Each structure stands twice: as structure tokens, then as C-alpha cells.
């Protein structure tokens, strides 16, 4: 298989994986303050994404795919908020185990990886176009 086509396939799998990662991070940030709906109820639990390297059999190139969507089993944060409907008899509310700073850092990394894959696709497309132009000119 043509190396440029292989580069396109590898970058396309990277785009898909990072797109999933961005979606999960967005869900985590959106639910960072979502408590349970009743006293003692568990709030939103942070989601995680695991990647795995795969080998494309047609080209032999190493690609990436989402291996697993999971949840973070770390403890929930408790806050004193007696006015919250989810507060227990001591006024404590279970809050999600989402740290917005960590999520923002993860989002920035995923965004940069997405941009790098996109730039690789653009470069491979330009090289393919230049090759076609050279072939046309030589006829």
C-alpha cells in the first residue's frame, strides 16, 4: 500500500480516537457539579478513555483505537451544603469525582493531538496532489 495512503489511515484513526476522548472530557466537565437527586445517592462518576495500538493488516501500519470506555472508581468528594436536596442528615452532599483542572489539561492534550493528526492529513493530501500534478505535467 502507498505510504501516503497509510499515513492518511493512521491519522484518520487518531482523529477518531481523539474525537472520542474530547467527547468524554466534555461530558466530565459538563457534569462536574452534578450531585445525586436524593440524600445518599451517588453523583456523576468521571468517565475515562483507554487507547490501544492496532496493526492495520492491509498496510502494516500501527494505528490507534479506543480500547475501552470506563469509569474512575476514585472516591466522591463531599461538600457541606445543607440546602441541597441530595444532602444527608449532616448536610453533606456527595459530589462527582471530577477535577476540572485535570479535565482541562486532558482536553488541551486531546485537542493538540487532534490538530497534529489533522495537519498530517493535510500534508499527505498536499503531497498526493503534488504527485498527481507532476504526473499530469509529464504526459
Amino acid at each position: 500500500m502507498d505510504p501516503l495512503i497509510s499515513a492518511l489511515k493512521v491519522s484518520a484513526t487518531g482523529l477518531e480516537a481523539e474525537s472520542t476522548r474530547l467527547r468524554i472530557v466534555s461530558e466530565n466537565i459538563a457534569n462536574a457539579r452534578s450531585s445525586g437527586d436524593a440524600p445518599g445517592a451517588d453523583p456523576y462518576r468521571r468517565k475515562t478513555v483507554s487507547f490501544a495500538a492496532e496493526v492495520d493488516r492491509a498496510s502494516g501500519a500501527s494505528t490507534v483505537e479506543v480500547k475501552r470506555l470506563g469509569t474512575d472508581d476514585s472516591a466522591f468528594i463531599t461538600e457541606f451544603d445543607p440546602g441541597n436536596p441530595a444532602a444527608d442528615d449532616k448536610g453533606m452532599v456527595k459530589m462527582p469525582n471530577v477535577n476540572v483542572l485535570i479535565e482541562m489539561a486532558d482536553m488541551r492534550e486531546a485537542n493538540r493531538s487532534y490538530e497534529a493528526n489533522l495537519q498530517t492529513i493535510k500534508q499527505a493530501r498536499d503531497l498526493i496532489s503534488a504527485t498527481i500534478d507532476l504526473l499530469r505535467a509529464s504526459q
Side-chain angles (χ1 to χ4, degrees):
M1 179 174 270
D2 181 39
L4 291 176
I5 301 298
S6 293
L8 288 172
K9 286 183 109 175
V10 169
S11 293
T13 62
L15 285 175
E16 187 176 342
E18 294 302 339
S19 177
T20 300
R21 184 177 175 194
L22 283 168
R23 181 181 57 82
I24 295 300
V25 168
S26 297
E27 287 179 21
N28 289 340
I29 291 172
N31 289 294
R33 301 292 302 161
S34 301
S35 63
D37 56 356
D42 284 345
Y44 175 83
R45 188 170 288 279
R46 179 178 182 261
K47 293 180 181 176
T48 59
V49 179
S50 298
F51 296 138
E54 296 291 322
V55 175
D56 181 47
R57 291 183 185 184
S59 65
S62 183
T63 61
V64 65
E65 72 174 28
V66 174
K67 180 181 178 182
R68 186 174 71 87
L69 297 177
T71 55
D72 182 353
D73 293 329
S74 63
F76 292 118
I77 301 163
T78 56
E79 292 182 2
F80 181 71
D81 186 5
N84 190 315
D88 62 14
D89 56 343
K90 296 177 185 172
M92 300 304 284
V93 179
K94 286 187 197 176
M95 297 303 288
N97 58 348
V98 176
N99 182 332
V100 176
L101 290 176
I102 291 172
E103 298 302 323
M104 293 300 291
D106 201 24
M107 180 178 279
R108 177 180 240 171
E109 183 182 332
N111 189 40
R112 287 186 177 169
S113 295
Y114 188 93
E115 288 173 356
N117 282 300
L118 192 59
Q119 189 60 35
T120 302
I121 288 174
K122 288 178 183 178
Q123 190 68 39
R125 184 190 65 199
D126 290 346
L127 289 171
I128 291 169
S129 293
T131 303
I132 291 171
D133 290 343
L134 285 171
L135 290 172
R136 283 186 191 153
S138 66
Q139 291 179 350

